Amino acid sequence: MSYQDLETVKPKILVAPLNWGLGHATRCIPIIEALLENNFEPVIASDGVALHILQKEFPELIFLELPSYQIEYAKNGAFFKWKLIKNSPKMMEAIYLERKLVKKWVKEYGLAGIISDNRLGIYSKKVPSVFITHQLNVLTGNTSWITSKLHQYIIKKYEECWVPDVAEIPNLTGKLGHLKNPHFKINYIGPLSRLNRKELPKKYDLMVILSGPEPQRSMLEMHLKEEIKRYVGDVVFVRGVIETEQKSEQIEHVTFYNFMTSVQLEQTFNESELVLCRSGYTTVMDLAKLGKKAFFIPTPGQFEQEYLAKKYKKDGLIPYAKQEKFVIENLYEVDLYKGIQSFKSELNWKNLFLLFKRK
């Protein structure tokens, strides 16, 4: 290989989002785009729908499959934590397999760095490794203290922790993303969104967008399909089911899609007056970037989403309802709330990525 060839070789960075709904994968999209713009070569690793959605967004990149954490929701949200505990041996096995694969890939692909979005086994002592999370504290009810300490112990293994929020008050994550006395390096990189605000003519009165693991996604879909029959106005309903082909269907005043690409979602969000969705943090960042008003239905038993929904209602920003109690008339409450506004945060990707150019 000539000197000129060495100069054109792009450092490879492994980007590995957790497959838990679509949020971890979609918030990695602006990071992958920034890596490409700064002359890096992203190598994507995940599993399930997270892997599939990134393959659709970046078909030209290298994709590697990771073992599944096999995260499952209980049908009754009250048993969600115990379901996770029951499945923890499978998760630990997946993390162990991740560690073995990373060791292999660092050599095989000549990786210059690693970015893990909540995948606990994706790091290496051989190359700079970054952990992305908005949960420095992991809320699990009366066990929050131990789950938070365990999570922070894992984060310490990485050289940096990137939190997609701002350090100061006001912020988006509240106590989830802020510690009084952190014992590891935290870099607040500002909210991440793959979407941009555009001034487009209104096409839909209501946009319904679903995501998250089963069976709760399907349970909410069935509930909302009944409720929107009584809604007066045009509705676009994105089911959040990633399949090989996109499908759409018009039933009376509702247009259904199984999924949308980032380009389609950006346009549809901007064409919609109101958004009905989960209170997942990636959705929160999208809403803030777009300046959209919304109504939240947190996933039953998921303490993080319940905390965020309560926080934004208390702050007078966005109302919410429990899944089993939601009725379409709840949407009238939205006019009484201000909505989430975007935070201006100047992020210099070039400086952020200097970590990966260290010799």
Side-chain angles (χ1 to χ4, degrees), residues 274-289:
L274 173 64
V275 182
L276 176 59
C277 54
R278 294 293 195 193
S279 50
Y281 187 62
T282 299
T283 303
V284 167
M285 292 190 290
D286 288 340
L287 292 170
K289 182 81 173 287

Side-chain angles (χ1 to χ4, degrees), residues 82-96:
W82 308 115
K83 185 84 168 180
L84 282 183
I85 292 172
K86 182 182 177 182
N87 288 345
S88 59
K90 295 178 183 177
M91 186 182 297
M92 295 304 295
E93 182 182 0
I95 293 168
Y96 171 75

Side-chain angles (χ1 to χ4, degrees), residues 174-237:
K175 67 181 181 182
L176 289 178
H178 297 81
L179 299 175
K180 290 183 179 179
N181 298 300
H183 300 293
F184 45 84
K185 185 175 181 181
I186 300 174
N187 203 333
Y188 287 92
I189 63 174
L192 293 172
S193 175
R194 56 181 164 156
L195 309 178
N196 291 296
R197 186 170 184 171
K198 296 180 179 178
E199 295 299 326
L200 298 176
K202 189 186 81 170
K203 185 175 180 180
Y204 302 105
D205 298 288
L206 176 65
M207 178 183 186
V208 179
I209 181 164
L210 304 183
S211 64
E214 300 291 359
Q216 291 295 340
R217 190 211 61 82
S218 291
M219 291 169 69
L220 180 58
E221 178 182 342
M222 291 174 62
H223 181 55
L224 292 183
K225 279 182 174 178
E226 288 301 313
E227 287 297 321
I228 60 172
K229 290 178 181 178
R230 296 186 288 108
Y231 183 79
V232 179
D234 293 320
V235 181
V236 58
F237 195 120

